[in-house]
Amino acid sequence: MIVLDQENRVFTLHTQNTTYQMKADRHNVLLHTYYGPRLAGGDLSYLIRYADRACAPNPAEAGLDRTYSLDTLPQEYSTCGVGDFRLPSLELELPGGSCSADLRYVRCELRGGKYALEGLPAFHGSRADAETLVITLEDAAAQAEVELYYGVFEGYDLITRAVRVVNRGGQALRLRRCDSLCLDLLRSDLDLITFDGCHMMERAPDRAPLRSGVQGVGSARGTSSHQHNPFVILCDRDANEDYGLCYGAALLYSGSFQALAEGSQYDNTRLVMGINPLQFCWTLEPGQSFTAPEGALVCSPSGLGQLSRQLHRAIRERLIRDPYEGKRRPVLINNWEATYFDFDADKLVDFAKTAAPLGIELLVMDDGWFGKRNDDNSGLGDWVVNEEKLPGGLEALVPRIQELGMSFGIWIEPEMVSEDSQLYREHPDWALHIPGRSPARGRNQLVLDFSRPEVRQHVYGQIKAVLSSAGISYVKWDMNRSLSDVWSAALPPQRQGEVCHRYVLGVYEMLEQMRRDFPHILIEGCAGGGGRFDAGMLYYTPQIWCSDNTDAIDRLRIQYGTSFCYPVSAVGAHVSTSPNEENGRLTPLETRGTVAMAGTFGYELDPRKVSPQEQELMKEQAAFFKEHYDLIQRGDYYRLSDPFAGGPYTAWEQVSADRREALVSLVSTSLRAAPPFQTLRLKGLDPALTYQVNGGEAYPGDVLMSAGFPLPLLRGDYQSMQLYLRAI
Ligand code: DGJ
């Protein structure tokens, strides 16, 4: 619910459990007054205090009032160059060459439903579950208007933000920075949690008390990156899974980003998040506008677990657009780790013949089916079926798979080009490169200039022909290197700072086009595994390959970190072979299945090399997953332990919305003789109900939550358990 107090110019956004408030003050500066647990309302600006602070400049309107300074007041959207020395959200280069921004309140507008952003990912909501507030600010000297958009999803405790800058003057302006969200809090006794790592070990939570000065994460790779994720948390120092005030901020953006927090001199905190200014400078001609990507804020007054569950539900129901909406996505098998480039049509048909009777429903043909692609040094850009491997093309192969009762999916990497390709030989200037420099290769490939429409159109034309040639129901959209040598032959020198963002917009445009042309196709995102795992991509690709690391034990950590923001249904997870291809670790098939069920669940191994006993187990796993699909994919997710804490096991739990069903999963990660007895305390159950566990013994919900479930003594490395609880 949005409450506008026009007289006092107080704007209050209520969600079910939270309140967010701003006020345009006596100098028309838009101040942030409060964000936290839900309050009745009223003007909360008395929480802001004023004092004469040395070295904090006072704007001209304040006259001789030395207690009024932009540098000390909580700003709703921070500026620069005119007296606030903390992190700016907006930086304009004025026609005279100065860099600054100075914003004053002009008007506000309330709209039913949720605003949309053209060409950008955004949460969606109807009049029934969302409202929009647009606050317009102006920078008189720059002759620019800045519209702040707020989408309020009451039932999801979600507030989305977007920013549109309009050049109302007669001369060009340059945007040097335009963040998506700014959050000023009147306290600094907070922890900052970021999600960091590297290729194959993505999104490990990194938690530290907020210090004085600027700290944070970002990416300058042109993708959201394996290294840092565009999602951060600020929380009470003692917040844990079940307790404490927590703020989550996610950026719906898949390119270079920055998320910075600043502990400032008077113990306030400012968080800003948006496109990384390092590679960004956008020229706005008179009358033109620029829209920054959407940011999303959630606040949980009751711990990190609740914060995640709010985000999961919002992302599942109000961000992801799933062709399998309300239905079950198929259990897939992918040939990558089983064959790499060494496959042909007969081998794939053999895979399908073995996999179909096990209950596997979709065969995904990974990299290597096109052009001259027998290793990763050639072929990218030539999206034409390699008939030496697949005689008769997909028209011949796909019906053979379908006859076996399976559907068919395909891998693509549209943004890339190999120098050894027809495309590159014909259009070398289509690859990103800086004149006079030889571009750096990554995985021996170059990046196509997706900021250029003609490049996108050419690539999409080829891919569309392939997708139209046979019954394809799934696409894995991969992207295997970072952007370097960023320069576009299609833009003038003063616009080169637009290339990275135009590239991302180009990717979004092609994804949207593919969704439009092939609405039945499930697109899985991928960037060397989890290098572009962000809320922006999830708008186009309902699931994302979580990591190139398929080792079940490493995945416990990767999926744990990922779960802070992203729902199970978004997390691409496969059972692969043992010893694992990435680290050689041996794990039981049961455990690999248990871990893959904290994600989308599928297989990535040669089913023909699996023993009959293991095939039987695969059959049981697939059947179990299908039977409990709703609970696993849409249930409320509880982290029961932290795999980074070094305990004897990692456990998690999914609970149905009516709390009558739950699935508890546990993987033992360290083993010793004479182990102590352990009990596992469950969460989210109905204390008044009694639950039967795996069809046997029954236990009261309150006992399971307060005293715990007595764990059996596990023998052998990396054993796992799944407990299916049903209320009786
Ligand atoms: C990286 C992906 O993450 C893998 O799953 C696989 O698709 C390879 N690329 C193929 O080149």
Side-chain angles (χ1 to χ4, degrees):
M1 184 180 41
I2 299 176
V3 180
L4 299 185
D5 173 354
Q6 294 278 17
E7 200 188 323
N8 297 304
R9 303 190 306 177
V10 173
F11 317 109
T12 309
L13 319 178
H14 291 294
T15 68
Q16 211 171 309
N17 298 299
T18 71
T19 294
Y20 183 108
Q21 195 186 79
M22 301 154 264
K23 179 184 170 86
D25 75 0
R26 60 187 186 281
H27 298 307
N28 297 319
V29 172
L30 189 65
L31 300 180
H32 180 82
T33 61
Y34 176 80
Y35 187 28
R38 182 158 177 156
L39 302 174
D43 182 347
L44 299 168
S45 59
Y46 61 84
L47 295 170
I48 302 169
R49 279 160 298 163
Y50 298 80
D52 179 355
R53 303 292 197 180
C55 301
N58 317 109
E61 303 98 302
L64 298 180
D65 178 2
R66 298 195 341 194
T67 68
Y68 189 94
S69 173
L70 299 180
D71 200 27
T72 58
L73 293 170
Q75 306 290 327
E76 183 57 24
Y77 193 64
S78 59
T79 57
C80 64
V82 294
D84 183 352
F85 299 100
R86 294 166 293 171
L87 284 166
S89 307
L90 181 71
E91 192 181 342
L92 299 170
E93 188 182 316
L94 274 59
S98 73
C99 286
S100 59
D102 196 12
L103 298 173
R104 294 292 182 274
Y105 174 81
V106 180
R107 62 181 168 273
C108 73
E109 184 196 338
L110 191 58
R111 298 182 193 162
K114 162 75 193 334
Y115 63 85
L117 300 177
E118 212 190 313
L120 282 166
F123 282 87
H124 45 87
S126 66
R127 283 179 172 267
D129 65 359
E131 283 177 290
T132 293
L133 174 66
V134 187
I135 296 185
T136 303
L137 310 173
E138 86 171 334
D139 184 325
Q143 294 188 277
E145 270 184 4
V146 175
E147 294 166 350
L148 304 182
Y149 287 78
Y150 298 82
V152 180
F153 292 78
E154 193 162 348
Y156 294 87
D157 284 333
L158 169 72
I159 295 174
T160 65
R161 310 259 308 249
V163 178
R164 181 167 169 262
V165 181
V166 191
N167 182 356
R168 298 273 181 225
Q171 285 175 277
L173 280 176
R174 301 183 87 200
L175 266 178
R176 290 183 161 270
R177 173 179 197 132
C178 184
D179 280 330
S180 301
L181 64 84
C182 170
L183 181 64
D184 268 12
L185 300 170
L186 294 170
R187 53 179 289 210
S188 65
D189 53 339
L190 294 162
D191 277 1
L192 172 68
I193 310 178
T194 58
F195 297 86
D196 312 317
C198 60
H199 177 231
M200 296 220 197
M201 278 317 278
E202 297 89 347
R203 291 176 294 286
D206 188 349
R207 178 171 179 168
L210 198 72
R211 291 181 289 111
S212 268
V214 176
Q215 55 238 262
V217 294
S219 160
R221 295 166 181 269
T223 56
S224 47
S225 89
H226 300 90
Q227 287 72 17
H228 303 288
N229 196 259
F231 171 66
V232 299
I233 295 173
L234 284 169
C235 60
D236 282 346
R237 293 243 158 103
D238 56 354
N240 61 25
E241 285 293 328
D242 307 304
Y243 168 82
L245 182 59
C246 310
Y247 302 96
L251 187 67
L252 283 67
Y253 193 57
S254 312
S256 299
F257 75 97
Q258 214 175 47
L260 300 177
E262 179 172 8
S264 62
Q265 54 180 339
Y266 299 113
D267 287 344
N268 293 342
T269 299
R270 173 170 295 167
L271 174 72
V272 294
M273 221 169 164
I275 294 176
N276 193 336
L278 202 62
Q279 295 172 316
F280 176 79
C281 185
W282 195 277
T283 303
L284 273 185
E285 295 295 341
Q288 285 185 342
S289 67
F290 176 85
T291 304
E294 183 161 279
L297 288 171
V298 285
C299 168
S300 156
S302 48
L304 296 162
Q306 183 57 23
L307 184 88
S308 298
R309 288 186 287 279
Q310 282 164 218
L311 277 160
H312 293 176
R313 207 161 64 82
I315 290 175
R316 262 194 334 256
E317 296 174 10
R318 288 290 169 266
L319 178 64
I320 286 175
R321 301 167 299 166
D322 189 348
Y324 289 86
E325 183 72 61
K327 289 183 271 171
R328 183 173 61 73
R329 294 186 205 150
V331 174
L332 67 79
I333 185 160
N334 176 304
N335 71 307
W336 177 245
E337 285 197 8
T339 67
Y340 298 105
F341 296 99
D342 179 20
F343 65 88
D344 60 15
D346 288 342
K347 199 183 260 188
L348 294 174
V349 171
D350 274 359
F351 265 53
K353 273 189 191 146
T354 324
L358 307 180
I360 300 173
E361 300 158 304
L362 164 68
L363 178 82
V364 178
M365 176 175 68
D366 211 279
D367 192 356
W369 57 266
F370 52 91
K372 203 184 91 200
R373 182 86 170 160
N374 296 317
D375 53 37
D376 55 14
N377 296 324
S378 60
L380 292 170
D382 298 339
W383 300 105
V384 182
V385 172
N386 177 336
E387 295 233 7
E388 277 170 34
K389 288 183 182 177
L390 310 177
L394 297 181
E395 296 90 322
L397 172 62
V398 176
R400 290 174 72 193
I401 305 292
Q402 288 171 332
E403 272 160 30
L404 295 164
M406 291 180 83
S407 53
F408 187 80
I410 197 168
W411 176 97
I412 54 173
E413 193 178 5
E415 299 152 69
M416 297 294 150
V417 66
S418 307
E419 286 155 282
D420 184 3
S421 69
Q422 208 180 316
L423 179 71
Y424 187 76
R425 281 185 281 275
E426 282 168 19
H427 299 286
D429 65 311
W430 282 10
L432 291 177
H433 66 284
I434 297 172
R437 297 188 197 279
S438 301
R441 299 184 183 96
R443 206 196 188 195
N444 246 357
Q445 63 201 44
L446 301 180
V447 185
L448 284 173
D449 182 355
F450 256 45
S451 72
R452 293 172 69 170
E454 68 275 27
V455 176
R456 301 197 299 269
Q457 274 151 22
H458 174 88
V459 174
Y460 186 65
Q462 286 193 325
I463 289 174
K464 185 174 177 183
V466 171
L467 298 183
S468 310
S469 71
I472 292 172
S473 61
Y474 163 105
V475 163
K476 177 175 171 185
W477 178 308
D478 203 349
M479 196 285 189
N480 283 299
R481 61 159 290 182
S482 308
L483 271 59
S484 68
D485 303 276
V486 173
W487 184 85
S488 173
L491 289 172
Q494 70 278 14
R495 284 192 173 267
Q496 291 299 325
E498 299 177 15
V499 180
C500 280
H501 182 56
R502 286 186 186 275
Y503 177 98
V504 177
L505 294 179
V507 171
Y508 289 158
E509 187 200 83
M510 195 192 287
L511 279 161
E512 192 61 24
Q513 173 113 35
M514 191 179 281
R515 288 191 70 259
R516 252 199 322 271
D517 292 343
F518 304 97
H520 65 285
I521 288 186
L522 172 66
I523 311 176
E524 175 154 354
C526 178
R532 203 159 55 180
F533 202 118
D534 56 70
M537 280 308 278
L538 286 175
Y539 183 66
Y540 305 96
T541 67
Q543 58 190 55
I544 300 176
W545 184 226
C546 177
S547 177
D548 271 350
N549 187 344
T550 61
D551 169 52
I553 305 307
D554 282 350
R555 274 287 183 128
L556 291 173
R557 292 182 166 198
I558 299 167
Q559 293 175 185
Y560 169 84
T562 305
S563 79
F564 278 83
C565 181
Y566 306 102
V568 166
S569 66
V571 175
H574 299 167
V575 173
S576 62
T577 195
S578 175
N580 180 264
E581 286 286 305
E582 284 78 44
N583 63 11
R585 188 179 346 238
L586 290 162
T587 49
L589 179 58
E590 286 88 345
T591 298
R592 283 173 271 147
T594 300
V595 175
M597 282 187 213
T600 55
F601 189 73
Y603 291 90
E604 187 158 337
L605 43 69
D606 188 337
R608 303 165 310 169
K609 294 187 180 153
V610 172
S611 69
Q613 292 87 330
E614 287 203 322
Q615 285 192 0
E616 217 30 61
L617 181 54
M618 285 169 66
K619 207 173 179 173
E620 284 168 25
Q621 287 175 336
F624 182 86
F625 177 72
K626 290 178 198 172
E627 188 184 344
H628 301 296
Y629 183 84
D630 264 331
L631 173 61
I632 294 172
Q633 298 291 297
R634 303 190 183 111
D636 283 336
Y637 189 84
Y638 291 83
R639 290 176 289 268
L640 300 182
S641 68
D642 173 357
F644 292 89
Y649 57 76
T650 297
W652 63 95
E653 182 187 358
Q654 284 113 320
V655 182
S656 63
D658 64 4
R659 298 198 287 170
R660 298 193 64 81
E661 274 186 294
L663 178 68
V664 178
S665 304
L666 177 142
V667 177
S668 138
T669 45
S670 72
L671 191 65
R672 52 168 270 198
F677 290 117
Q678 308 264 0
T679 48
L680 178 65
R681 282 199 276 160
L682 308 190
K683 293 184 179 176
L685 303 177
D686 184 335
L689 290 175
T690 297
Y691 295 86
Q692 190 173 35
V693 177
N694 288 343
E697 208 69 38
Y699 305 86
D702 56 354
V703 176
L704 287 168
M705 291 193 291
S706 300
F709 176 81
L711 292 175
L713 299 178
L714 296 173
R715 281 179 67 81
D717 267 337
Y718 306 123
Q719 298 298 312
S720 71
M721 257 177 31
Q722 283 180 309
L723 307 173
Y724 171 65
L725 278 67
R726 179 190 281 282
I728 49 174

